[in-house]
Amino acid sequence: MKIDLTDTTSSKINKALMEGRRSIGTPAVGMVLTLVIVTDEENAYDALKAANEASREHPSRTLVVIKRVSRSPRDRTTSRLDAEVRVGAEAGTGETVVLRLYGEVINHAQSVVLPLLLPDAPVVAWWPVNAPLDPAKDPLGALAQRRVTDTYAAEQPNDELAARAGAYTPGDTDLSWTRITPWRSMLAAALDQVTCKVNSVEVEGEEFNPSCELLAMWLADRLGVPVRRSLSPGPGLTAVRMETDCGPIVLDRPDASLATLSIHGQPDRAVALKRRETSELIAEELRRLDPDDTYAAVLKFGVHRLGEPGAPDGKEPAAEQAAQASAPAKKAAAKKAPAKPAAKKSASKAAAK
């Protein structure tokens, strides 16, 4: 069932939701959380489709906030709220409200969303694109216990990761981090099978894919070894190679679906490692509403430290090490250089004063 409301208010939307539930014969509210999706018109369809599929596992009230750009200065000063209420088969296993904001109300989206939140239920905010650099300080993000972004949609993913690290607040997460959950599980299981020491790691994947950087930072943070990031045609992550005292450990996925795990001294094994849909990623994030401490530690490790000698152990980068190595040579050169008479005279005058 779909109900269209033009130039409406939050109270009218709540009333339409109750009428819609009565019409389909389910007056009780059976949702477990409120999912707030902040997006634009172009990406609203895909985001809503993913949320509806995820609602089969997590019945929720989904609020889609679309901030429409006004065409004229007069329209920018006129506030208007249009809504589309969906219940029943149109909204998966929950309820959906598509909110289109015009004019001044765009700057006060939280006042529209707040009355529509389910009482005594957690709130999750999701930005499929154009996420704020500090989600916790965003007016809509401040309403949520969990804030989901996706650095894969950013123009400069590495810069976005650095900004996320500086503004991290418990409850923040990233779908680029969620994408590597199967990789982390597989690599951890592979290391549990050997007792060798890992000396170095190489993470291979397509360019401008922050999941590759996040996996590399996770390995560098946990193993304390240099991790090199290399490029491949993709798609996504394609391989992880670990050099150990007992031989190489390689997890190779060239076709985005089936991977091969190779451990020195053991037969190769084929493992399922397909690229997951957005609905699966959102469903995974909705399973846990507590802060992700591992993600926080990986962010704070810093993408700039990848590949730097000694950086995983907290030592100085290579440039600083070179500067320190050249310091004794500079001191020796300074001792050999004769002091100028004028400098000695100035020093003696300063000492007399």
Side-chain angles (χ1 to χ4, degrees), residues 73-292:
R74 181 180 298 175
D75 292 338
R76 295 190 191 102
T77 60
T78 304
S79 297
R80 195 178 95 221
L81 171 63
D82 294 344
E84 186 180 308
V85 178
R86 304 178 186 180
V87 292
E90 295 281 349
T93 59
E95 299 174 341
T96 299
V97 181
V98 181
L99 303 166
R100 290 182 172 86
L101 283 59
Y102 301 82
E104 289 293 330
V105 74
I106 288 177
N107 301 322
H108 306 282
Q110 71 279 8
S111 63
V112 176
V113 170
L114 186 58
L116 301 175
L117 301 178
L118 290 172
D120 302 324
V123 179
V124 178
W126 173 32
W127 290 266
V129 293
N130 301 324
L133 292 180
D134 192 347
K137 291 185 178 179
D138 183 84
L140 289 173
L143 301 175
Q145 285 77 42
R146 289 277 282 180
R147 294 162 295 276
V148 184
T149 58
D150 192 355
T151 51
Y152 186 75
E155 292 185 4
Q156 298 294 333
N158 287 354
D159 294 343
E160 195 87 359
L161 286 175
R164 294 275 181 271
Y168 176 80
T169 301
D172 292 353
T173 191
D174 189 345
L175 291 187
S176 294
W177 170 252
T178 315
R179 290 185 181 96
I180 63 173
T181 299
W183 283 82
R184 293 191 293 122
S185 301
M186 194 63 61
L187 292 171
L191 290 175
D192 285 342
Q193 300 177 38
V194 298
T195 58
C196 307
K197 179 184 177 182
V198 180
N199 299 318
S200 64
V201 181
E202 178 186 1
V203 176
E204 180 187 89
E206 64 182 356
E207 192 175 6
F208 302 116
N209 189 322
S211 294
C212 301
E213 273 72 24
L214 286 168
L215 182 60
M217 288 190 289
W218 176 71
L219 289 167
D221 180 56
R222 289 305 175 111
L223 299 177
V225 299
V227 178
R228 187 168 70 92
R229 166 78 159 93
S230 60
L231 302 181
S232 72
L237 269 162
T238 52
V240 174
R241 301 179 182 90
M242 296 185 286
E243 296 295 334
T244 72
D245 293 341
C246 306
I249 298 175
V250 180
L251 183 59
D252 188 20
R253 187 189 67 176
D255 60 356
S257 61
L258 191 65
T260 302
L261 177 62
S262 303
I263 301 177
H264 184 74
Q266 300 183 18
D268 292 352
R269 281 167 283 179
V271 294
L273 204 62
K274 71 179 184 69
R275 301 189 75 189
R276 297 183 292 169
E277 299 292 336
T278 305
S279 57
E280 299 177 69
L281 303 177
I282 286 294
E284 178 181 330
E285 286 301 330
L286 296 180
R287 290 186 198 121
R288 55 174 302 171
L289 299 176
D290 57 317
D292 192 339

Side-chain angles (χ1 to χ4, degrees), residues 39-50:
T39 185
D40 53 20
E41 200 71 61
E42 180 182 358
N43 296 279
Y45 175 82
D46 292 335
L48 189 52
K49 180 182 177 183

